[in-house]
Amino acid sequence: MLLIDCPYCKEMRPEVEFSHAGEAHIDRPADPSSLSDEEWESFLFLRSNRAGICFERWYHIHGCGRYFNAVRNNVSEKFILTYPAGQKRPSDAQIKGALS
Amino acid sequence: MSEQIETTLNPFNPLDDMNLDAAQGPDLIMRPIENCARFNLRISIEQLKKAAAAFGMDIPDSVGSMSSRAEKYALCLGPDEWLLLAPQKSADEIITRFAKLAKNNSHSLVDVSHRTIGIEISGSLAQLALSAGCPLDLENMQIGRCTRTILDKAEIILMKLEQQRYRLEVIRSFAPYVWSFLEKSGQDARA
Amino acid sequence: MSEFRTAKGGRICRKTPLNFSFDGQSYAGLQGDSLASALLANGVHFVARSYKYHRPRGIMSAGTEEASALVGIDRGKGRFDTSTRATTQELFDGLKAQSQHCWPSLKFDVGALTALGSPVMSTGFYYKTFMWPKAFWEWVYEPILRNLAGLGRAPKEMDPDNYSSIHAHCDVLIIGAGPAGLAAALAASQSGSKVILVDENNEIGGDLLNCPIAQIDGTNSWDWLAETEKQLASLPNVTILTRTTAFGYYDQNFIGVVQKLSDHLGSLENKPDNKTLRERLWKVRAKRVVLATGSIERPLVFAGNDRPGIMLATAAKTFLNRYGVKVGNRPLVITNHDSAYESAFDLAEAGVEVAAIIDRRAKISSKLVEQAGKMGIEILLGHTIVQTSGKHRVCSVRAAPVGENASIRKIKCDAVLMCGGWTPSVHLFSQSRGTLTWRDDIGAYVPNNYTQDATSVGACNGDFLMSQSLNKGAVAGLEAAVSAGAKAPKSTSYKVVNEALTSDIPVEEIGIFSTIGEGKAFVDFQHDVTAKDIGQAVREGFHSIEHIKRFTTTGMATDQGKTSNLNGLAIASAALERPITEVGLTTFRPPYTPTSFGVLAGYSRGDLFDVTRKSPTEKWAEQNGAVFEPVGLWRRARYFPKTGENMHEAVARECKATRTSIGISDASTLGKIEVVGPDAAEFLNRIYTNPWSKLGVGRCRYGLMLGEDGYIFDDGVVGRLSEDRFHVTTTTSGAPRVFARMEDYRQTEWPELKVWLTSITEQWAVIALNGPNVRKLIEPFVEGIDFSKDTFPHMAIREGMIFGVPTRLFRVSFTGELGFEVNVPSAYGLGVWQRLMEAGKKFDIVPYGTESLHMLRAEKGYIIVGQETDGTQTPDDMGMNWAIGKKKQDFIGKRSLVRSDMLAPNRKQLVGLMTNDANIVLDEGAQIMGEKSNVIPAKMIGHITSSYWSETLQHSIALAIIDGGRARMGEEIYISMPGGFYPARIVDPVFYDPEGERLNV
Amino acid sequence: MSHFSLPSLVANALGSNKGWTKQWAKPEPKANYDVIIVGAGGHGLAAAYYLAKEHNITNVAVLEKGWLGGGNTARNTTIIRSSYLRDESARLYDHALGLWEGLAQEINYNLMFSQRGAMALAHTVHDVQALKRRIYANRLNGIDGEWLSPQQAKAFCPPLNISTDARYPVLGAGLQRRGGVARHDGIAWGFARAASARGVHIIENCAVTGINRAPDGSVTGVETTRGTIGAKKIALSTAGNSSMLLDMAGIRTPIECFSLQALVSEPIEPIFPCVALSNSVHAYISQSDKGELVIGAGTEQYFSYSQRGPLHSVEHTVAAICEMFPIFTRLRMMRNWGGTVDVTPDRSPILGLTPVPGLYINAGWGTGGFKATPGAGHLLAFTIANNVPHDISAPFSLKRFQTGNLIDEAAAASVAH
Ligand SMILES: Cc1cc2nc3c(=O)[nH]c(=O)nc-3n(C[C@H](O)[C@H](O)[C@H](O)COP(=O)(O)OP(=O)(O)OC[C@H]3O[C@@H](n4cnc5c(N)ncnc54)[C@H](O)[C@@H]3O)c2cc1C
Ligand SMILES: NC(=O)c1ccc[n+]([C@@H]2O[C@H](COP(=O)([O-])OP(=O)(O)OC[C@H]3O[C@@H](n4cnc5c(N)ncnc54)[C@H](O)[C@@H]3O)[C@@H](O)[C@H]2O)c1
Ligand SMILES: Cc1cc2nc3c(=O)[nH]c(=O)nc-3n(C[C@H](O)[C@H](O)[C@H](O)COP(=O)(O)O)c2cc1C
Ligand SMILES: [Zn+2]
């Protein structure tokens, strides 16, 4: 069971309190109707899905009730950073910093 | 809506029909908590002071904190979510005072008095019984802290009142399950 | 006392004799024995048959690494445990053990005939035969193979035992309570850190239990152990768990641990209610983990190394020192490592005649030679065993100089003690995803890089001296306490006298095998994998160690290769002519030792397998004979049969009552969300397809919600209580996901909106009343609401009181009749229901369940999300374009509705069906065809989504989705069901009161 | 390639089993091939075999980053059935099932394919509706299927608990008798041997690290850990690693990877005669010929390439098994492992062309592609050879996610494995 550092609770909390909410930083387009089929497909379905560092969303559903983002290594399963929803994607330097 | 109900109907608690004595012993005491008024409060942190005035006591602003005074509790469950507990008779007044507040300070106060059932569990085995289903480190949870969490397959709100005394708020339809679970884990804690 | 029990010594209680039986034969043992030690004390070695060739097998170890001595333990009804290691089963009075995998008996096992075919049954043979004739596989070969396979007895009865689980948190978890773990525990606990110490044995001590002669800091080792135990037990911050195995090391220092609570106890049948707590699963989260799991001695691979009586050298030492049992009267030792001398010397000291020590090494230390000489034990240096004899127990070996088949010498013996060096137990470390490094000097892998907050000490780290275990354990304990936040406590160092012997082992010595002729030299004793099998696998092109494992099945038995993996690796390395480090290792996986299903299931059995949510009126329904159905976690009343009624009769009656007078049903399980805030209407605009801004206060509207993919996701009625307050309802099973989805968009996409959500599903009990007389029924009991037809129109919501309790009263209808949904605070749901039933008597009020609910709405053509839809239907498919706010710029899923395939002409659309024969009720799920045709595959144009007998129409009705269905009104189609093709006509999905007049009464 | 048979076993036994030769050759990679298949899982190896056998294309290399058959082929619960709801899926999986039926004889490798029946349990009224719908559709698609009452289900699978007061009572079951299990390793080794015998190069320990393209965009070969290898056509059949390989060609995919766990019990005498699956209670189970109960879990919730998962999923899965088969509580788990499954939004695979000329894709089989192994390979071979999708696989295009014509097996509450 993973331990997740909830940026709102500011505590390490057990995985069973959370539900995973997919890839992070896929912003919903402001005006979907103006998008081409390709662009809309990209928003709906196309994902990074790389092994290694991934950006993902979690929902502290049985805790503070907040959605937030995490940077995690999906091979080692180690969390690198967690941060509130709406905050910008951390830079490579920030990730490196957190890793060391 | 007023919660001060004058009716000839008997309120029904789903634990009413259970054998509540099965788990009891000096080392483990479980009891349903009397009905009370419960409100879900959503408001921006800047306006929290005003809400506190309306509620009539301090409302903490950090997630997991809880304040209490005279049978009233204010639990901070999320960055903009509070659970307010109060004696049933004060419900009307609280509603009226928040309604006044609403004029200039938008917020959401929703009556959830019946949404959950309160259970108090205490005694030297209380923590063990809870730990059977709750993955948090209860021993190191500070007295006076509260949180939403998991007990086996049920979501609960957990309040640590004393080192060996906890209060649970359990969604009504989950209450019999939670009770049975604690009854069983309590027995095992004795074994 | 038997001839194999020593006169003194050991940790057994000589005053407490125990009786037990093996294969029906009675024996005596002592309190403190394991089943294995008790059998050996009675001279019984032969206890099992091997998996593939049914070879006689004995007891090869004294611990959890046991691969051979697996037996069944019968503890009475429902308590039969198969494949239990005799070495870990503690003896109790009345224990009944049985051999397994043999027929008719252990000694005369027909299965042993397979050994005759063993050359043909070479490794992986089953991939190469049993293919002709083809049908024989199913009818002949496979059934035979299956019956040969399967080691243990299959369960037949219900298990009466209980299992429990608990979450635990600690600063330091120490796994293994040998010298290393104990020293770590002593050090870590000084500072007040919370320490949990677990060991799989029934007492702490690890290797100390075999070493009574060692002295620690001047104290005899067993006294030191007793003292240590007392000290640790006195500390409130230390928890010691024996009979407790750490079986899995998961992410972030989460360790799965099983504590056995009753397998060592005698008969359980006279316990009250025959229930026992058998095992407890500890789910431990540790700040730091100290791995002190020790090491496992390696067997040697020589021809006939599997006969009963042939065992690990330490095992003999353990049986002697710990259990007071001599494994034979004339044991012989074969080794390539110094530690085996220890066993020989201890046995000699106890008065046992040691036949010889055969050492594969050409040179050993003079000290050993001297000591052996003193004890009169012959040493054959540079020799090995090339063959053994003895049908059911080893009786002699043939020894020869290494590498030669000449000068063979036969030596009589009644036990062979083998030692091929030691393998650190890195199972848990590897599970934690630490990486290993190879150490040539000990011929084994040891921990190298840690990925979790852990440390390995003692033998599991390749440090084989007791003093090293103690001292490194102490340091690790200190560090662990400090890293877990304790202040630096004082350090300790230990001096050990008389510690066990150890030595390096030449790499080429690991896994080396010796045989003459075709004798079988076993690597994996349980799966009968021989050294030659590995050679054959390599010849056949299985070069990766993972391929070798899978082709030969070495290491895949219940012991997971604890004693065999390294030997297998070394033999593969030689066959491949590649250094061992390039051959690699197979993956260590949980569990460390087999773990019962019961303890993994824990509390999740019976009623606690899952939550059963009950609605506020369920008690009444139960008392009034309702038949229930599960819907999500809920239990809902399906129908209320009167005596003698079946479901169809009950439903017909319930529906009729609703259409003619009043039906009452519980709708409390519907999800409910209170949406509050100045931007509430705008929020709903974006969530639903429908427009909300103009919905008047006090009015309701049916809302439809899509996924971003454009498919219908959920629906429900939404009422506006005030400008900024909405009462939203959702489907029963959709409630959690709708709430999560709304929160998601609110928090992450539109944080600028001032709106908040509160789940109020269980705040309100909901009683749905439908039928022409409903208004008459409730009006008298309601206060504060004007009930006249025009001031309280259809699709309106009012707040007031009913029977003196507050209510949110919806005028809505899912049946097509005049309908009200009475929301009252949940605790009063039952009371209000009872009052309504009481008052409704004069209208012949009838309670109805989900089945009638579905029927009544089907007559009106209302869809149920999840029944008419399956996640691939658009609003247009359901004929619900009217629910789309055309002027809205956007809402969830809008963009997807204009993708090309969503606009395709022939999409499946909702229609009604009327069968030609009024009495045929079609099967839900049945497929629809445009013509009667027996050609397979057939062209299907749609399927039945809902189908019922309509009591009102005296005709069966069905809803269906059909290719381009709306344009095919009146067409005849055919439904393929058992019995043939049933013709039906496509009609409008609204079967009853299409004008909706009945709503407006 | 020597023929496998009882006589060959006897002959070899007489020679002390020293006469066996490599089941597949171990060639050094050549500079150029007509076709490169990336990924020596069951699917990739099958494609190579059918390219050689049915399309006479033998200048083929299968490149494998590790040991062949070590991906999901090595770690699945081996359930085979073709009882899928949608017409497109039914055709696809039944095509595969048809190939399984004669395969052992065709490739002279006993795959231990055992058509002991795959039974999906219904625990709710909704399950009953969904399963019956599937059976109706299956039968008209020529796929065998029958509805069993709880008593019939119990007769078919004696350990099943059909007590009506169970938390999830069994209301019935949908049975496909032609469904069953097969030996997971056997199919990889068997296809490797058969393909190798027809001249295909199988190159292990050779990870593809890049895809080379001509100025016109078409493929020219791959970069690997063993150097550059040229090819006219490249097919990716890399299951869990597909997103990364397609990335190399600049293609983004609608795939996400998760861990899926499985476990085996200690081996016991035959007790479980069929395959049982339950969507509501969430577990599936069969017994191998060796005697272990082979048990599968649901996918984990978070993205993962770790080939492992948390303990609580195992607890849940085992509890589910004990709920349906309560006599199993005293059995023990012997080993537990995980695989990385590649999941698409509609839970159906992607098999066909890509926007890059000469590059083909076979991926997204998620939790259920073992059963498709010969079929997927067969259709992929056709697609590579003809540069057009086969009729059967045409609906499973990458394009469907743009146009909206999804083949949604998940939404239909069909069982996933
Ligand atoms: C626990 C579990 C249970 C399952 N149960 C079932 C079941 O019961 N029934 C069923 O039908 N399906 C089941 N599945 C799914 C099934 O296992 C897979 O869909 C199927 O095996 C995929 O086969 P494959 O040949 O496509 O992939 P794989 O066997 O994974 O082969 C892909 C190969 O590509 C290689 N590769 C990857 N990247 C590269 C690279 N860059 N260069 C070279 N090679 C590379 C990999 O090493 C791997 O060998 C299950 C899966 C799991 C994990
Ligand atoms: N003579 C030699 O060459 C040689 C070689 C190896 C070990 N030894 C001796 O062994 C001792 C090593 O001490 P140590 O403390 O490192 O090891 P140990 O073997 O004394 O103790 C390890 C303990 O951990 C337990 N254990 C292992 N895995 C476990 C698990 N997963 N869960 C619960 N318990 C588990 C074992 O049953 C054992 O009781 C020393 O006394 C040393 O002399 C000697
Ligand atoms: C159908 C099936 C049956 C298995 N049976 C066994 C078994 O009897 N013993 C065993 O140790 N492993 C068994 N395994 C698991 C493998 O040992 C291994 O864990 C799996 O192939 C994953 O590889 P990995 O653990 O090396 O990553 C089995 C795997 C499968 C797919
Ligand atoms: Zn939180």
Side-chain angles (χ1 to χ4, degrees), chain C residues 41-121:
Chain C
N42 287 286
V44 178
H45 277 257
F46 174 26
V47 295
R49 290 274 177 179
S50 69
Y51 184 77
K52 189 171 166 191
Y53 303 131
H54 289 252
R55 297 189 37 126
R57 286 287 158 81
I59 294 159
M60 67 170 285
S61 77
T64 43
E65 68 269 41
E66 181 63 38
S68 284
L70 305 185
V71 297
I73 305 289
D74 181 359
R75 309 161 62 76
K77 195 170 162 50
R79 288 196 176 94
F80 188 88
D81 289 309
T82 204
S83 296
T84 301
R85 286 152 298 190
T87 51
T88 59
Q89 174 64 51
E90 291 172 53
L91 199 68
F92 54 80
D93 199 44
L95 181 147
K96 280 193 223 137
Q98 293 173 10
S99 56
Q100 56 183 32
H101 199 52
C102 51
W103 183 85
S105 76
L106 183 61
K107 284 218 167 80
F108 307 101
D109 176 18
V110 170
L113 292 175
T114 52
L116 298 177
S118 70
V120 176
M121 287 164 63

Side-chain angles (χ1 to χ4, degrees), chain D residues 38-44 63-67 69-73 75-79 206-208 237-239 241 245 260-262 284 337 339-341 362 365-371 417:
Chain D
V38 187
H43 288 209
L63 308 183
E64 167 56 50
K65 71 171 174 179
W67 41 286
N72 284 346
T73 302
R75 46 197 80 239
N76 73 92
T77 45
T78 79
I79 298 169
C206 178
V208 169
S237 186
T238 50
N241 286 42
L245 280 132
L260 178 67
Q261 298 192 75
Y284 45 102
W337 66 92
T340 301
V341 290
N362 167 45
W365 291 92
T367 60
F370 176 73
K371 63 179 69 67
H417 296 278

Side-chain angles (χ1 to χ4, degrees), chain C residues 129 154 274 277 449 455 483 501 529 577 657-658 680 714 815 997:
Chain C
T129 181
N274 185 29
L277 189 54
N449 276 324
T455 179
S483 83
L501 304 164
V529 181
E577 299 173 9
T658 307
D714 206 80
T815 60
E997 280 158 8

Side-chain angles (χ1 to χ4, degrees), chain B residues 70 159 184:
Chain B
M159 300 154 69
K184 195 144 192 219

